[in-house]
Amino acid sequence: DQQVKQNSPSLSVQEGRISILNCDYTNSMFDYFLWYKKYPAEGPTFLISISSIKDKNEDGRFTVFLNKSAKHLSLHIVPSQPGDSAVYFCAASWGNQGGKLIFGQGTELSVKP
Amino acid sequence: DSGVTQTPKHLITATGQRVTLRCSPRSGDLSVYWYQQSLDQGLQFLIQYYNGEERAKGNILERFSAQQFPDLHSELNLSSLELGDSALYFCASSVRGGGTEAFFGQGTRLTVV
């Protein structure tokens, strides 16, 4: 039962343009959502998060949007840079489950110069 | 550097053996999580400890066990190892048990031959 889904395994974007990574979830109990970035042979690095009481959170070039009615969140990276090339995971958790994160399968972003 | 330390970084062992993976959380973090990432798989939640007590359990095999010690470091014990247990094992920590980001270590790559 895949509760968090990233349907695009890969995404290629030109440097300077916007990257949009998408994530869908099925469990309406999720109340906290996160995006992580992962390079090969390294652990995931936290990027940005959003609580279910908000619909947008911004941090520099990264913005996360949450659409609760559609059970959808997205990560926007503007402008995209070659160093952003990595695998991006979305994750979700809910309060009474102690904070364990349920991850999507990841989307590999390639930003071309 | 996330502040989460995992040892060893690499481990090669034979089927049927037992290994112990170690994790030191970030200073001040009370919660420790273990995740498994197999080839072409997302991050699968195994187990969480909070301040020494088990808080949540995922699809962790009976051959696997974990504990968190009074100094808050954690160990994941894998026994009767099978080829399919070959994977990256990540430890993460967070300051509390939910509603906050978790920070990941570099992982231990386990190869069972």
Side-chain angles (χ1 to χ4, degrees):
Chain A
D1 176 25
Q2 191 70 23
Q3 298 186 68
V4 178
K5 299 179 185 179
Q6 294 176 257
N7 292 318
S8 299
S10 63
L11 175 67
S12 183
V13 170
Q14 207 68 30
E15 181 180 6
R17 306 294 291 268
I18 185 172
S19 295
I20 300 177
L21 297 106
N22 294 302
C23 180
D24 297 296
Y25 62 95
T26 57
N27 190 338
S28 58
M29 300 299 291
F30 288 141
D31 58 12
Y32 195 67
F33 303 88
L34 308 91
W35 284 95
Y36 283 84
K37 174 180 177 179
K38 186 180 182 303
Y39 294 114
E42 294 186 12
T45 301
F46 170 73
L47 271 177
I48 192 168
S49 62
I50 187 167
S51 163
S52 61
I53 62 173
K54 295 186 174 181
D55 53 21
K56 177 182 174 181
N57 188 28
E58 194 170 350
D59 184 1
R61 296 186 298 116
F62 302 93
T63 303
V64 56
F65 295 92
L66 176 62
N67 182 335
K68 287 188 294 294
S69 60
K71 293 191 177 69
H72 177 84
L73 67 154
S74 61
L75 175 69
H76 292 209
I77 306 174
V78 183
S80 302
Q81 300 172 354
D84 296 330
S85 297
V87 178
Y88 288 78
F89 291 94
C90 70
S93 69
W94 66 113
N96 68 354
Q97 293 297 306
K100 71 179 184 184
L101 299 176
I102 306 299
F103 282 86
Q105 295 294 91
T107 296
E108 183 171 10
L109 173 66
S110 175
V111 180
K112 301 191 181 306
Chain B
D1 182 6
S2 67
V4 178
T5 302
Q6 287 187 249
T7 57
K9 284 193 172 178
H10 302 277
L11 199 48
I12 301 175
T13 190
T15 54
Q17 295 299 303
R18 172 189 166 97
V19 297
T20 297
L21 312 183
R22 183 186 168 103
C23 170
S24 294
R26 292 188 322 158
S27 176
D29 284 359
L30 297 178
S31 202
V32 170
Y33 311 80
W34 287 97
Y35 290 85
Q36 179 192 57
Q37 186 181 27
S38 303
L39 194 64
D40 295 332
Q41 296 286 315
L43 291 136
Q44 302 294 321
F45 171 73
L46 295 178
I47 198 164
Q48 178 200 3
Y49 280 82
Y50 180 80
N51 204 19
E53 295 192 2
E54 183 182 303
R55 173 65 69 93
K57 220 168 185 175
N59 294 327
I60 186 167
L61 299 172
E62 285 191 12
R63 301 183 285 107
F64 296 1
S65 65
Q67 55 184 323
Q68 186 179 28
F69 294 86
D71 66 353
L72 301 177
H73 90 271
S74 178
E75 292 180 357
L76 179 67
N77 300 296
L78 314 176
S79 61
S80 303
L81 284 167
E82 302 175 359
L83 296 177
D85 298 327
S86 297
L88 267 168
Y89 291 85
F90 289 103
C91 168
S93 72
S94 65
V95 64
R96 57 181 186 265
T100 185
E101 60 270 24
F103 294 87
F104 282 76
Q106 296 288 299
T108 293
R109 179 172 291 284
L110 173 66
T111 303
V112 183
V113 297

